Amino acid sequence: MAESLKLDICVIGAGSGGLSVAAAAAAFGVSVVLIEKGRMGGDCLNYGCVPSKALIAAAKRASVCAISGAFGVNSQPKIDFARTYHHIREVIAAVAPNDSAQRFAGLGVRVVAGVARFTDPATVLVDGDMVVQARRFVIATGSSPCIPSISGLADTPHLTNETIFDLCELPRHLVVIGGGAIGLELGQAFHRLGARVTIVETARPLAHEDAECAQIIIDALLREGVEIRTGASVQSVRQTGGGVELAVKCGDGEERIAGSHLLVAAGRSPNVEGLCLEKAGIEFTRAGILVDGSLRTTNRRVYAIGDAAAGGMMFTHVANYHAGLVVRHALFRLPVQATYDAIPRVTFTDPELAQVGMTDDRAKDQGYRIRVMRWPYCENDRAQAERMTDGHIKVVTNGHGRVLGAAIVGAHAGELIAPWALAISQGLNIRAVAETVFPYPTFAEINKRAAMMFFAPAAASQTVRRIVRWLRRG
Ligand SMILES: Cc1cc2nc3c(=O)[nH]c(=O)nc-3n(C[C@H](O)[C@H](O)[C@H](O)COP(=O)(O)OP(=O)(O)OC[C@H]3O[C@@H](n4cnc5c(N)ncnc54)[C@H](O)[C@@H]3O)c2cc1C
């Protein structure tokens, strides 16, 4: 007979979002069950952020050798890809205990392995052998790779983010369908480790990002030798003796690209299949489960968070942010409103691209009278010392200096964006950054220099120049 559970919160999916909700609920003494059909830790730990950043870290080591001659250090990289594979596994294994069933059981969470699906608006069935009734449900089922409907693709062996980190031999020629963040990050990393890489993109790579910044990334990849076909649509795919062959339409012409391996990185689809959402009165579209500002679905006792929720951004930090809002709303009945104005996003290519808030074009479209401040990396002493002078920062404010957005392309951009996320989330004026003392010599000084540019026109005014002359005389 099926076991029956009655408790306060039932969380479906033990990825970034689900784990955060379960840990917080247990910490507040609320009874909670966490249901996971696959590996604890979800995409981020097993098939996403963690393995991709471990691979990128290995690739960075390989690329350092290529530029170290200028420092007077001469060495040739010798890639042992089997070792790289183990490095990735070791990093996952090091992080895994934080997300493990044992740790969560220790926190007081009931962890159940199995596939969850709704049978009515207040009941979930796990694998047919456990019935869960709860006051509140949180759907945190994440997303899966989109597989485009390209002729022959279904019958051709291909990799996705769920299988590429299982490779223990370096692909000879990796062809990547999709020039978004995942395609570019993985493409550059495999190329640096010695693979030939061709990326095929229908539109322009990083189409959703600031065009000027995206171009710097694309140019960097091209310079390194990554082949990129832009405005190219894949017509068909077939398996060959040596691997795969793609028929690609570029403008009026057609090209055949033969590779040893194919990676499909063509976007993500929210995981809504199999949950029987219709039985629970939960509406969804291809973009995900419909939610209101408090992340409640069309069934008031059910929330949806992370990649599964429509209208959000697909990042681990967004899933965690959602989790925090749901905990406040469901446990403490506090009013919450999900907003994305201050959510940073980073593409971990080299150079990195980090953005938060509005681009200048978007701010103009929204009717703001804007100011745009820039500062190039080449004017930063630390960047010169490290020979990492490619890139710039661009900050957008309204006419009074309230920070609306920032984009940084260059070394450590993902770290450097933090003060701008703070500025936007707290409604700060750019003066706050301009008046902060940053340590010298650090890359972070580009933030201050960009902020100071807001005051440059005033500093150049006749009156200010007269005062400065007067002070000097006095
Ligand atoms: C290659 C790659 C690199 C990435 N890099 C970054 C990065 O650098 N930074 C960043 O912020 N984000 C990154 N992301 C995105 C990030 O991984 C996701 O946004 C994040 O994992 C979403 O968390 P989640 O909780 O919504 O879903 P997930 O972490 O995917 O967890 C969902 C879980 O639900 C389980 N599940 C699904 N259906 C059921 C069911 N019916 N019953 C029980 N369990 C179920 C799944 O097995 C899974 O474990 C990357 C993604 C990829 C693919």
Side-chain angles (χ1 to χ4, degrees), residues 12-19 35-53 112 114-117 140-143 161 165 182 185-186 268 271 273-275 305-309 313-320 346 348:
I12 306 174
S16 311
L19 289 169
I35 307 165
E36 171 54 55
K37 70 173 185 182
R39 294 186 187 168
M40 295 290 288
D43 254 18
C44 182
L45 173 64
N46 301 294
Y47 321 106
C49 330
V50 174
S52 65
K53 269 74 240 178
V112 174
V115 181
R117 64 182 166 88
T141 49
S143 61
N161 68 293
F165 303 110
I182 296 174
E185 285 181 14
L186 298 183
R268 314 274 313 158
N271 290 331
E273 299 291 315
L275 283 165
I305 64 171
D307 288 7
M313 300 154 84
M314 289 186 171
F315 292 111
T316 286
H317 46 280
V318 173
N320 292 336
V346 181
F348 291 92

Side-chain angles (χ1 to χ4, degrees), residues 117-132:
R117 64 182 166 88
F118 285 90
T119 53
D120 66 47
T123 312
V124 152
L125 187 67
V126 188
D127 277 352
D129 53 20
M130 180 182 278
V131 177
V132 180

